[in-house]
Amino acid sequence: MMKKYFLLTFLMIFGFSQSQIIRKYSNEFLNIGAGARGLAMGGAVISSQDDVYSPMWNPAGLMAIERDWQGAAMHAEYFESIAKYDYLAYAKVLEEGVFGVSVVRLGVDNILNTTQLIDTEGNIDYDKITKFSQSDYAAILSYAFHPGGNPKLDVGVNAKIVYRNVGKFASGYGFGFDVGAIYKGDNGWRFGGMLRDATTTVNFWSVNQKELSTVVNGEEFNPAPKDKMELTMPKLNVGASKKFDINSSVYVLPEAGINVDFAKTAALVSSDFASITPYAGAELGYQKMIFVRLGVNRFQSITDIEDLKRKVSFQPSAGIGIRYRGLTLDYAITNSGIGGSNFYSNFFSLKLDMGEFRND
């Protein structure tokens, strides 16, 4: 366990010291998603998420809320409970639209701080080892509406405020916007799209040079980065879905789409301008009370470290859900998708659907 925490310390300090103005991966904790339904379906809910969890997938989905208000909570733990992820949200139906507020936290606690392990003369002093926490927070204000009163088109906007903290070493504040839309076509088809960080999300960092750096024999280690500002580039998620009724009690709802990163990544289709990754998922429902879900996403082309051959990796997911009156409990299990590893994470989410039914 000590090795894990030492490695986390090194990766955080190294990654931070190498920060640049434009980052391929910044504020990634906001791309995890929220709600075990969407996670179980591999994120294949861009056109079909219809509740208080919508701001994390497509804020336009808030318009589908049928009662006065909804509340939700989710908790998950990654990598043998080292990292913890939490989400709280509330949505209220207004006269002309739906307003929502969400709070997100991803944190790693009790990380060993080894930056002062070696003193200025090169001596090792284990008493200098301390602990710190690294946490990412976000508050999201959302609003969804029918533009021009068109009931076939839902539009939603997120305004995000981000706070990131790396113990005593550094902290950063950021802000940005997401824009989403859902079009309800003929024959039950739904088409959705969400542009994350539409205007780029800006993070401003403040660095504590005294805590971060170490001087050994006159040489400085872990110097503070020169760039104190990060820009998170936009990401586009689009999808299409349709609900098929098997009989009066059973239905199946599949969705498929693509995720587009405007940067070169390890995606199956990748260029200097953009990288494209497909995703798919499905939900099987019985009497709108019991749900079974499957999904797959994050297809990547990676190099096997054993035989150095290129291969395709992907992230599978699955889950179940139970609804009784105004209460819904969902569960999802999904692979972390990191280098083909077998780290599986469990997600539990709860939703309260309360108040009288709205009049559209």
Side-chain angles (χ1 to χ4, degrees), residues 79-317:
F79 310 115
E80 300 179 0
S81 299
I82 293 178
K84 296 177 174 59
Y85 180 67
D86 295 286
Y87 177 84
L88 290 173
Y90 172 81
K92 172 65 177 177
V93 175
L94 305 178
E95 185 176 349
E96 299 293 336
V98 180
F99 170 78
V101 57
S102 312
V103 178
V104 186
R105 180 188 184 270
L106 175 64
V108 180
D109 301 314
N110 297 319
I111 305 171
L112 295 182
N113 172 18
T114 59
T115 58
Q116 306 301 318
L117 177 63
I118 303 176
D119 64 22
T120 57
E121 297 179 356
N123 300 312
I124 297 178
D125 185 354
Y126 290 101
D127 292 333
K128 294 292 184 67
I129 297 177
T130 58
K131 294 181 180 181
F132 70 98
S133 297
Q134 192 277 333
S135 301
D136 297 328
Y137 299 87
I140 305 173
L141 300 179
S142 308
Y143 184 71
F145 62 99
H146 292 309
N150 184 357
K152 286 191 172 184
L153 180 62
D154 303 333
V155 172
V157 179
N158 288 335
K160 304 182 293 188
I161 301 174
V162 178
Y163 172 69
R164 305 180 66 186
N165 177 266
V166 187
K168 296 180 180 179
F169 304 113
S171 60
Y173 293 88
F175 60 90
F177 297 90
D178 306 323
V179 179
I182 295 176
Y183 179 75
K184 289 161 278 189
D186 298 330
N187 300 320
W189 282 98
R190 295 169 63 95
F191 305 92
M194 178 177 178
L195 184 62
R196 301 177 184 271
D197 306 301
T199 58
T200 71
T201 294
V202 183
N203 279 12
F204 298 96
W205 285 93
S206 175
V207 181
N208 187 333
Q209 178 62 51
K210 181 179 178 181
E211 291 288 343
L212 179 65
S213 65
T214 301
V215 178
V216 179
N217 295 327
E219 183 178 356
E220 183 182 15
F221 295 87
N222 300 323
K226 296 180 180 180
D227 300 318
K228 303 296 180 61
M229 181 177 72
E230 288 181 326
L231 293 180
T232 304
M233 298 303 292
K235 294 180 176 64
L236 177 64
N237 310 118
V238 295
S241 63
K242 182 178 180 179
K243 181 180 176 182
F244 297 90
D245 291 320
I246 306 302
N247 54 45
S248 59
S249 299
V250 180
Y251 75 85
V252 60
L253 174 62
E255 178 169 337
I258 58 173
N259 299 322
V260 182
D261 289 282
F262 294 99
K264 188 176 181 62
T265 69
L268 294 182
V269 178
S270 184
S271 68
D272 291 335
F273 172 70
S275 301
I276 301 175
T277 305
Y279 67 83
E283 176 182 76
L284 178 69
Y286 174 72
Q287 291 188 348
K288 296 183 179 181
M289 292 180 59
I290 300 174
F291 310 93
V292 179
R293 303 166 180 129
L294 296 172
V296 61
N297 66 1
R298 298 194 182 184
F299 289 88
Q300 294 183 322
S301 177
I302 65 173
T303 300
D304 192 295
I305 61 175
E306 295 182 356
D307 56 20
L308 300 181
K309 292 183 179 180
R310 301 293 291 178
K311 67 177 184 179
V312 175
S313 70
F314 58 89
Q315 178 175 307
S317 54

Side-chain angles (χ1 to χ4, degrees), residues 1-11 112 114 117:
M1 185 61 69
M2 182 175 180
K3 291 182 178 179
K4 291 181 181 179
Y5 283 122
F6 182 87
L7 178 61
L8 278 169
T9 303
F10 173 79
L11 290 176
L112 295 182
T114 59
L117 177 63

